[in-house]
Amino acid sequence: MSKALRLSALRGAAFFGLLAALPSFNLAHWVLNMLVFTLMYAAMSSAWNLVGGFTGYPSLGHAAFFGVGAYAVALWFQHHAIHSGYEPFVILPLVGVLAGLIGLPVAAVAMRTRADVFAIVTITLLFVAQTLAFNLHSITHGAQGLSIDPAPFSPATFERPFYYVLVGLLALAMGITYLTIKSKVGLSLASIRADEDKARGIGVRVSGLKLLTFCVSVGLTSMVGGVWAYYEGFVYPQFAFDPLITISIVLMTFLGGRGTLWGPILGAFVLELSQQNLAYRLGGSQFYLIAYALVFLLIMLLLPRGILPTIQDRLRYRRRRAGAAEGDDRPSAPAPRTAAAKVAVGGGERA
Amino acid sequence: MSALLEITDATKVFGGVRAVDGASLSVGANTITALIGPNGSGKTTLFNLITGYLRPDRGRVQFAGRDVTGMDAGSLYRRGLSRTFQQARVFPQLSVQENLVVAGGYTWRQLFTRRVSSSDRNRAGQLLAEFNLAPVADLLASELSYGQRKLLEFAAVLMSDPKLVLLDEPTAGVNPVMIDTMERHVRDRHAAGITFLIVEHDMSFVMRLCDPVIVLDQGKPIFSGRPSDVQTNPLVLDAYLGS
Ligand SMILES: Nc1ncnc2c1ncn2[C@@H]1O[C@H](COP(=O)(O)OP(=O)(O)O)[C@@H](O)[C@H]1O
Ligand SMILES: [Mg+2]
């Protein structure tokens, strides 16, 4: 195994080992509840990053697929009974495939546009989905919402199954991201993000890769929506199709670093933990929205590429200056960017 | 001499501008054909029509004996028709080596293999050595000089083993040493069997390297022949000096 590979394996094992161990520390319910939401956002940010980060298509419509997943689970269990409590988790793959299939025509149309137009087209989709949920009364019960039978888990460890399923979804999203980065899919996506027309002209499978990435991304997002619906026990249109969900995952990914493996996870942990903490301590107010706006402004001004890429640049710059000071025989040539330099910061495209 | 590329009556209109206006021309196999003409005469637009970046409003494009009119740029590239751009287009956030590897024209299956495999490294390595880019292989393309980027773009489109390469102003904006380098690479690759169609303003470069020369004016060829005849042709002089 190469040194780089060993390091990323270690980092992944440490992170997921810690996540797996956390519930056994007898954490208070509110802490576990907070972690459940943090994992939801981490998984969704990671999924969004495939489209918004690696491919360069800033989707604002992902919350629509969160809602699709939530309603899919809620509707399924209007007609099916919950016995062991694990049934909703078992149908998650189905929910993901369904959302992916819905995503296919959406991507085929929306991804003909780019950048700001794409963002507007996709957020429109979100409002269309919400309107449908309000108005397709016979299916969704409109504003009344749908309820799901409560999970028959022991109250003492009620959060655990949800927690572990979400850890699994996060691992899935990060695993897909890692494989993407390490394969020619990731290389091709990077070319699409940089110059789509040029990429097309050198035989990169632009249209197919955009569709594939979008479908996988929204499929993952919908599975998180399914877990959320079951965890909450009810779905209402305004919460299942909530623009704030979209805003949050975009913000988290921007904060941590678009197009990196760990950036969205870092962003989700920082923002969601602080927001939930504030909400818990200050009571459920909407003041955190103002904080969100401020955070977004600060990121755009100070760290336009996010935390991880900025640290990466700093380290590279330092290494390069150190190299020049040591009397490198190519003082004017920038130091080659080695795999080791990438790994040191953890989260570059190749990390 | 058989034609590798044959354009018949190609027309492209932008709003009111007839950028390419019923142009017919052919590029013989194993030639280094020059396409010259005043600014705005439609050279780049013609390149876009040939390489599938634009669809002609009218007319046909045949490449290697097949009608490829309206085929998309990616498919043409896979069939051996490569081009570079007037303003060099490379992927700045990819390494120099990755800029080559990404241009390999992969099947879906290959896309799910390693980002840069050892065989990719070999294949790219040969081109990098040939184009003297091996020392900068691991730098980001954004860290290269403009001339180096032009070389990189040229080297990258060779990854598909093209039959025909279209170069749009390969020497524009690069230093004199780099112009000689560019000339050498075209000669080497021509010797290895690649046909070239080159848009170029540097007339001494054209005179040294190209035969035949096609002159475009207002979207139509007005001359096609030997380089020695081009500068004495009254139609050509007229086009350049304005009538
Ligand atoms: N995408 C476009 N939209 C509108 N007009 C264009 C476009 N591309 C080229 N043109 C016009 O077509 C004419 C030919 O341009 P071009 O092919 O770039 O010429 P050349 O490469 O010979 O300088 C010019 O008048 C130019 O302004
Ligand atoms: Mg031009």
Side-chain angles (χ1 to χ4, degrees):
Chain A
M1 227 197 288
S2 77
K3 195 177 156 203
L5 197 59
R6 210 158 48 223
L7 265 169
S8 32
L10 264 178
R11 199 166 33 226
F15 178 66
F16 282 101
L18 179 67
L19 284 183
L22 271 180
S24 27
F25 291 125
N26 276 327
L27 300 173
H29 284 291
W30 75 269
V31 178
L32 272 173
N33 179 59
M34 181 172 78
L35 285 172
V36 162
F37 277 95
T38 306
L39 287 170
M40 281 184 197
Y41 278 105
M44 283 197 286
S45 300
S46 186
W48 185 84
N49 189 35
L50 289 169
V51 171
F54 288 101
T55 318
Y57 276 77
S59 165
L60 295 181
H62 267 55
F65 294 92
F66 175 87
V68 164
Y71 269 93
V73 166
L75 284 170
W76 180 273
F77 289 101
Q78 303 301 301
H79 309 290
H80 296 79
I82 294 176
H83 301 293
S84 70
Y86 294 97
E87 293 91 344
F89 301 139
V90 173
I91 68 159
L92 284 181
L94 233 80
V95 171
V97 169
L98 172 77
L101 288 177
I102 296 175
L104 201 65
V106 170
V109 174
M111 285 181 129
R112 285 163 184 274
T113 66
R114 294 181 196 174
D116 45 355
V117 182
F118 177 75
I120 290 167
V121 168
T122 47
I123 200 163
T124 307
L125 170 79
L126 171 57
F127 290 118
V128 169
Q130 194 191 63
T131 307
L132 286 177
F134 268 119
N135 292 296
L136 292 178
H137 237 274
S138 57
I139 306 172
T140 64
H141 297 188
Q144 237 184 309
L146 296 170
S147 63
I148 305 174
D149 289 343
F153 302 138
S154 138
T157 56
F158 181 80
E159 295 88 356
R160 281 194 191 188
F162 299 96
Y163 177 94
Y164 283 115
V165 167
L166 287 167
V167 170
L169 286 180
L170 176 59
L172 181 62
M174 289 183 74
I176 289 173
T177 305
Y178 182 80
L179 292 176
T180 301
I181 293 170
K182 289 293 184 186
S183 69
K184 289 188 169 60
V185 172
L187 184 61
S188 305
L189 293 182
S191 75
I192 294 173
R193 178 173 63 172
D195 185 345
E196 183 171 330
D197 291 322
K198 168 75 187 182
R200 218 180 265 284
I202 54 166
V204 173
R205 298 187 180 270
V206 173
S207 307
L209 280 172
K210 286 198 302 190
L211 289 184
L212 175 68
T213 310
F214 191 85
C215 291
V216 169
S217 173
V218 300
L220 287 167
T221 307
S222 72
M223 290 199 263
V224 176
V227 177
W228 171 82
Y230 184 35
Y231 185 65
E232 296 284 343
F234 59 82
V235 284
Y236 298 115
Q238 68 269 38
F239 297 128
F241 298 98
D242 186 352
L244 274 177
I245 296 173
T246 280
I247 306 284
S248 299
I249 58 185
V250 173
L251 188 52
M252 289 162 181
T253 311
F254 269 65
L255 174 64
R258 279 163 287 168
T260 65
L261 176 61
W262 290 93
I265 287 80
L266 177 66
F269 272 80
V270 169
L271 280 188
E272 187 60 19
L273 285 181
S274 33
Q275 187 241 303
Q276 290 272 347
N277 244 306
L278 284 178
Y280 182 74
R281 284 168 206 286
L282 304 178
S285 76
Q286 300 278 303
F287 278 121
Y288 73 92
L289 286 176
I290 297 172
Y292 263 30
L294 285 177
V295 169
F296 197 74
L297 260 175
L298 284 176
I299 302 170
M300 292 334 286
L301 290 175
L302 302 176
L303 308 167
R305 296 175 49 216
I307 296 173
L308 286 183
T310 306
I311 298 176
Q312 238 161 1
D313 281 359
R314 296 263 156 88
L315 283 186
R316 265 182 71 199
Y317 178 70
R318 242 199 250 164
R319 210 167 298 252
R320 181 172 302 181
R321 283 211 345 205
E326 275 164 24
D328 197 304
D329 57 358
R330 305 166 279 124
S332 59
R337 183 193 44 150
T338 62
K342 279 280 187 182
V343 164
V345 264
E349 289 223 346
R350 264 142 279 190
Chain B
M1 188 173 58
S2 66
L4 181 59
L5 180 72
E6 184 97 48
I7 296 140
T8 319
D9 194 28
T11 299
K12 185 74 195 177
V13 183
F14 294 116
V17 182
R18 303 184 78 80
V20 174
D21 190 5
S24 297
L25 56 96
S26 71
V27 176
N30 298 314
T31 60
I32 304 179
T33 303
L35 180 65
I36 66 172
N39 270 328
S41 57
K43 305 180 296 292
T44 297
T45 304
L46 191 58
F47 265 27
N48 288 336
L49 295 180
I50 295 169
T51 54
Y53 273 85
L54 289 173
R55 270 171 167 278
D57 299 332
R58 209 179 66 211
R60 312 225 66 81
V61 181
Q62 279 173 303
F63 172 62
R66 284 199 47 168
D67 191 333
V68 297
T69 316
M71 193 180 279
D72 69 278
S75 307
L76 283 166
Y77 179 80
R78 288 157 191 281
R79 283 165 184 272
L81 207 170
S82 292
R83 58 103 45 110
T84 65
F85 288 85
Q86 190 169 337
Q87 284 287 322
R89 279 162 88 168
V90 297
F91 304 113
Q93 295 308 321
L94 292 183
S95 74
V96 169
Q97 175 177 258
E98 286 173 334
N99 264 276
L100 293 192
V101 175
V102 75
Y106 300 104
T107 61
W108 274 102
R109 263 180 94 115
Q110 288 170 318
L111 282 181
F112 294 95
T113 63
R114 281 185 76 92
R115 186 174 176 115
V116 180
S117 69
S118 55
S119 76
D120 295 328
R121 235 184 303 263
N122 280 337
R123 201 160 136 62
Q126 285 167 11
L127 279 167
L128 289 171
E130 177 181 335
F131 282 79
N132 209 13
L133 291 168
V136 294
D138 291 325
L139 292 192
L140 295 181
S142 60
E143 294 170 307
L144 299 183
S145 71
Y146 186 65
Q148 283 178 312
R149 276 183 233 183
K150 289 210 119 168
L151 278 185
L152 174 58
E153 189 186 28
F154 184 5
V157 301
L158 298 176
M159 282 292 284
S160 62
D161 287 324
K163 298 189 188 73
L164 172 64
V165 174
L166 279 61
L167 301 177
D168 199 347
E169 306 201 12
T171 73
V174 308
N175 67 49
V177 179
M178 193 61 90
I179 293 179
D180 291 343
T181 311
M182 201 62 88
E183 182 183 336
R184 183 164 52 77
H185 289 306
V186 174
R187 281 191 198 286
D188 288 350
R189 282 287 157 168
H190 178 241
I194 293 182
T195 304
F196 283 91
L197 177 63
I198 304 179
V199 165
E200 188 48 68
H201 279 301
D202 180 338
M203 281 315 284
S204 87
F205 182 88
V206 169
M207 292 298 148
R208 288 197 303 270
L209 194 61
C210 304
D211 188 10
V213 175
I214 299 170
V215 184
L216 210 60
D217 185 37
Q218 301 187 4
K220 270 197 274 287
I222 53 166
F223 171 91
S224 175
R226 299 177 50 83
S228 49
D229 297 337
V230 86
Q231 282 168 318
T232 54
N233 184 292
L235 276 175
V236 175
L237 290 175
D238 211 39
Y240 271 93
L241 298 173
S243 40

